[in-house]
Amino acid sequence: MAVIADRCPHIQVTVVDLNAARIAAWNDPDLSKLPVYEPGLDAVVGRCRGRNLHFSTAVEPAIAAADMVFLSVNTPTKTKGVGAGQASDLRWIEASARQVAACAQGHTIVVEKSTLPVRTAATIKAILGAAQGDAAQAGEAKSFSVLSNPEFLAEGTAITDLEHPDRVLIGGEDPAAIEALAAIYGAWVPADRILRTNLWSSELSKLTANCFLAQRISSINAIAAVCEATGADVQEVARAIGADSRIGAKFLKAGPGFGGSCFQKDVLNLVYLCGHYGLHEVAAYWQSVVALNDWQQHRIARLVVQRLFGTVTGKRIAVLGFAFKADTNDTREAPAIRICRDLLEEGAQLAIYDPKVSEAQMATDLAQEPQPAPAGNGLSGEGVWQLAASAEAAATGADAVLILTEWRQFAELDWPGLAALMRHPAWLFDARAIADAEAAAAAGLNLWTVGRG
Ligand code: UGA
């Protein structure tokens, strides 16, 4: 919405949320305090806020005044009830649709921005249609058009992705509504990149795009394990296969498994959809993408334990990176969560450093408060973790450094300096293949790099 406001100064954009603390943070005069860390976002918000970009908790008047409403609420995987563990929880999208139905005035275009299961638009249309009927009976003018306009930005590169999208996708049935939305994007997106489809193709394309991307990561992570076993190098394999223009070079980085709020949720969503339509083989095919991802995360934790002589109890391990990828403070489904939990279960003492993730967030994710290492050798101790203020602080006294997020600064670590701070024999486990392996080896560290045999 900030980028739309930036590129379309003639449009007034109001972002509303029930969460007053969050809206207050979006209105904070100090742009470094915005609730989302995203490179370049502060500058965009700084340019538009108060001009044609507004953040407010006054939901109802904003809906009433709007010509177009974007539904951008979260749709996490259900944790209980029908479809638990796979289906999306649609309670917020339905509540939002009902609120729009109640408050809208005149003709309103309602745009699904949240990633939704296929045919959710039908639910939204049914709710809005009922309100339209009630209004007509009462002699009020109220009507709706529903569009699907899924988002393809990735975190960490969101602003560039929005400013130069590969494509914008608009699904719908009402040509006037489709063109109204296309005109907004047309202010900065070339016309041939604005694709128009029917509603269901649009919804399914979003799920499919994420499933294909997730599948690529599971595929390369599977090959990484084969590389480690055979003496091949996954980076060389990725370069060789990526040179084939049919395969392409992007999204072929082996790592600790994909994280983020979308990939797992969307693959599971497709699995659920396939199950619903009796397509059990298709469901099993996509389920295996998530299964491989789970395996990769547990494999890394297991491998750390095995290399450290079969036990990490009482050992200090420096964990570098907690966010699910670089350039974000987002930890949703971060591989670090499962890997750290596995190591804590084994009794490790973790010193975790991430340039952007807070201690409170780590505590929530690990379901355990930070705690200093117990006195003595820790051999009878439970697994504990502490926040470290830097990579050096984390590595001090550690038996191993484990890199889990590809923050740029981890490519530039001073290995002789770090090695001197560690207990020997010492290890580097590089799950992102980002560290200077030669320098680490020369500094006397034992080395494991994902996908390198
Ligand atoms: C992803 C998609 O890339 C976006 O197109 C989509 O809009 C978004 O989900 C969404 O549905 O909201 P995002 O999750 O922000 O974006 O980040 P990605 O760059 O896709 O990374 C996802 C995970 O895959 C990260 O944990 C990342 O480290 C991992 N990854 C990515 C790899 O392990 N290897 C790669 O080569 C690429």
Side-chain angles (χ1 to χ4, degrees), residues 48-274:
C48 310
R49 199 172 55 186
R51 180 189 76 184
N52 65 329
L53 176 64
H54 314 279
F55 295 95
S56 164
T57 50
V59 179
E60 297 187 352
I63 293 172
D67 299 305
M68 200 178 273
V69 175
F70 290 78
L71 299 179
S72 316
V73 295
N74 60 339
T75 51
T77 304
K78 279 182 83 171
T79 53
K80 54 185 182 187
V82 177
Q86 288 184 338
S88 279
D89 192 334
L90 297 178
R91 76 178 87 169
W92 293 281
I93 202 85
E94 182 173 335
S96 309
R98 286 184 188 280
Q99 198 167 20
V100 172
C103 305
Q105 289 178 8
H107 185 68
T108 308
I109 298 171
V110 177
V111 184
E112 294 180 345
K113 199 48 150 163
S114 310
T115 300
L116 294 165
V118 180
R119 303 201 75 88
T120 303
T123 306
I124 297 175
K125 275 166 73 175
I127 291 168
L128 298 175
Q132 192 168 321
D134 291 349
Q137 277 192 345
E140 292 167 30
K142 187 186 278 210
S143 58
F144 299 96
S145 294
V146 178
L147 299 177
S148 158
N149 172 222
E151 187 46 63
F152 295 102
L153 69 82
E155 290 181 29
T157 52
I159 301 297
T160 341
D161 292 347
L162 286 164
E163 288 176 340
H164 308 283
D166 286 346
R167 79 312 207 176
V168 164
L169 185 55
I170 302 176
E173 289 152 1
D174 172 2
I178 294 172
E179 293 320 310
L181 184 54
I184 294 178
Y185 288 107
W188 78 96
V189 179
D192 61 352
R193 294 197 176 190
I194 302 178
L195 312 183
R196 295 153 174 86
T197 67
N198 75 31
L199 271 173
W200 328 121
S201 298
S202 172
E203 290 179 334
L204 185 58
S205 299
K206 169 65 194 185
L207 282 189
T208 306
N210 274 355
C211 289
F212 269 57
L213 291 169
Q215 178 205 44
R216 254 171 102 88
I217 299 170
S218 279
S219 296
I220 201 70
N221 284 340
I223 296 302
V226 179
C227 289
E228 289 166 33
T230 57
D233 181 334
V234 78
Q235 293 192 50
E236 293 179 351
V237 173
R239 196 169 69 234
I241 65 167
D244 184 327
S245 60
R246 293 169 303 174
I247 296 176
K250 292 183 182 163
F251 250 71
L252 286 178
K253 288 207 188 74
F258 55 76
S261 65
C262 302
F263 281 175
Q264 175 165 312
K265 169 176 76 93
D266 290 351
V267 176
L268 292 175
N269 222 318
L270 184 63
V271 169
Y272 185 70
L273 183 80
C274 294

